[in-house]
């Protein structure tokens, strides 16, 4: 990657963190990156394409940074603890992804890049869930790819929510910790109880529970 492209990608991420999507323009990015504004269009064609490329660039770096730690997760409690760590260490970058999600509602180029960014996080979470749930009554009963995407989207949403209700966000994370504890209890259930749980989970949707 050329030095100019790298400066523009990093400058875009820095600008998004500082000013949000509404305050990010070709001029502000160029000023942050310390390059001529015309180079944005020379290297990326449009501002939206630069924003999309920056989203992918930033997410790839962050996912790679945590890949070894994802590989070390052995329980749902571990996964939730790692999620808290990522939130603490990558607060600004999760907010950037949230801004991109908001802009993606009306801009197709941003939608593709944001979906790809979320998919990178979801793939790591899916690998963890497949491994962690494999020995529980939930194995084979949950849509693990769907759950992984729900978890990834939830953490982005909670990061944005923290900006308006920090106390509520803290309670949400505490509730997720309680959920992790419940998963731990499932692992300790006896074989008969585990089979009963598995049977209930596999019932067709909409069927009345006894």
């Amino acid at each position: 990657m050329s030095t100019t492209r790298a400066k523009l990608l990093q400058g875009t991420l820095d600008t998004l963190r500082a000013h949000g999507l509404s305050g990010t323009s070709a001029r502000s990015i160029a000023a942050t990156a310390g390059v001529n504004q015309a180079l944005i269009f020379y290297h990326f064609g449009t501002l939206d394409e630069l924003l999309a490329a920056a989203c992918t660039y930033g997410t790839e770096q962050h996912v790679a940074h945590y890949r070894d730690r994802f590989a070390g997760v052995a329980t749902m409690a571990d996964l939730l603890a790692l999620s808290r760590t990522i939130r603490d260490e990558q607060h600004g970058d999760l907010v950037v992804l949230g801004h991109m999600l908001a802009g993606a509602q009306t801009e197709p180029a941003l939608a593709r890049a944001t979906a790809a960014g979320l998919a990178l996080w979801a793939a790591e979470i899916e690998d963890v869930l497949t491994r962690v749930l494999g020995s529980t009554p939930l194995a084979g009963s949950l849509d693990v790819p769907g759950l992984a995407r729900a978890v990834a989207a939830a953490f982005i949403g909670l990061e944005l929510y923290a900006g308006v209700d920090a106390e509520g966000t803290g309670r949400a994370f505490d509730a997720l910790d309680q959920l992790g504890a419940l998963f731990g209890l499932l692992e300790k259930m006896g074989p008969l109880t585990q089979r009963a749980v598995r049977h209930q989970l596999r019932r067709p949707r909409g069927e009345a529970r006894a």
Side-chain angles (χ1 to χ4, degrees):
M1 180 187 299
S2 72
T3 302
T4 300
R5 284 181 66 89
K7 284 183 177 180
L8 285 169
L9 292 170
Q10 190 59 52
T12 301
L13 294 173
D14 293 341
T15 305
L16 283 166
R17 288 189 202 99
H19 305 293
L21 190 61
S22 62
T24 298
S25 63
R27 178 177 295 178
S28 61
I29 291 171
T32 302
V35 301
N36 189 295
Q37 181 176 329
L39 291 173
I40 290 175
F41 306 102
Y42 174 79
H43 285 281
F44 295 96
T46 67
L47 177 59
D48 282 349
E49 290 298 333
L50 171 56
L51 290 168
C55 177
T56 301
Y57 170 77
T59 305
E60 286 175 346
Q61 287 188 318
H62 300 138
V63 169
H65 177 72
Y66 289 100
R67 187 159 288 131
D68 287 345
R69 280 191 263 183
F70 274 117
V73 169
T75 66
M76 286 297 295
D78 289 345
L79 176 59
L80 292 170
L82 177 56
S83 298
R84 281 183 179 268
T85 297
I86 293 172
R87 177 183 178 242
D88 292 341
E89 295 179 354
Q90 303 293 333
H91 167 74
D93 295 293
L94 292 176
V95 169
V96 165
L97 195 52
H99 285 308
M100 293 291 288
L101 274 169
Q105 306 307 307
T106 56
E107 298 294 339
L110 299 187
R112 291 191 298 271
T114 307
L118 280 171
L120 289 172
W121 284 113
E124 297 296 326
I125 296 170
E126 183 178 339
D127 286 345
V128 171
L129 291 175
T130 299
R131 183 173 68 253
V132 168
L133 298 178
S135 60
T136 75
L138 301 176
S141 302
L142 291 176
D143 175 7
V144 173
L147 179 59
R149 281 155 180 77
V151 171
F155 276 100
I156 300 300
L158 283 172
E159 195 57 39
L160 292 178
Y161 184 46
V164 297
D165 185 357
E167 181 181 354
T169 302
R171 293 183 65 179
F173 274 99
D174 289 343
L176 289 174
D177 286 339
Q178 292 175 330
L179 184 60
L182 286 175
F183 275 102
L185 290 175
L186 280 174
E187 295 176 352
K188 298 176 182 178
M189 287 179 176
L192 290 177
T193 305
Q194 288 195 8
R195 279 200 293 272
V197 172
R198 189 177 293 111
H199 174 71
Q200 289 293 322
L201 289 171
R202 288 178 176 173
R203 285 190 175 193
R205 291 178 183 176
E207 182 178 330
R209 299 290 200 256

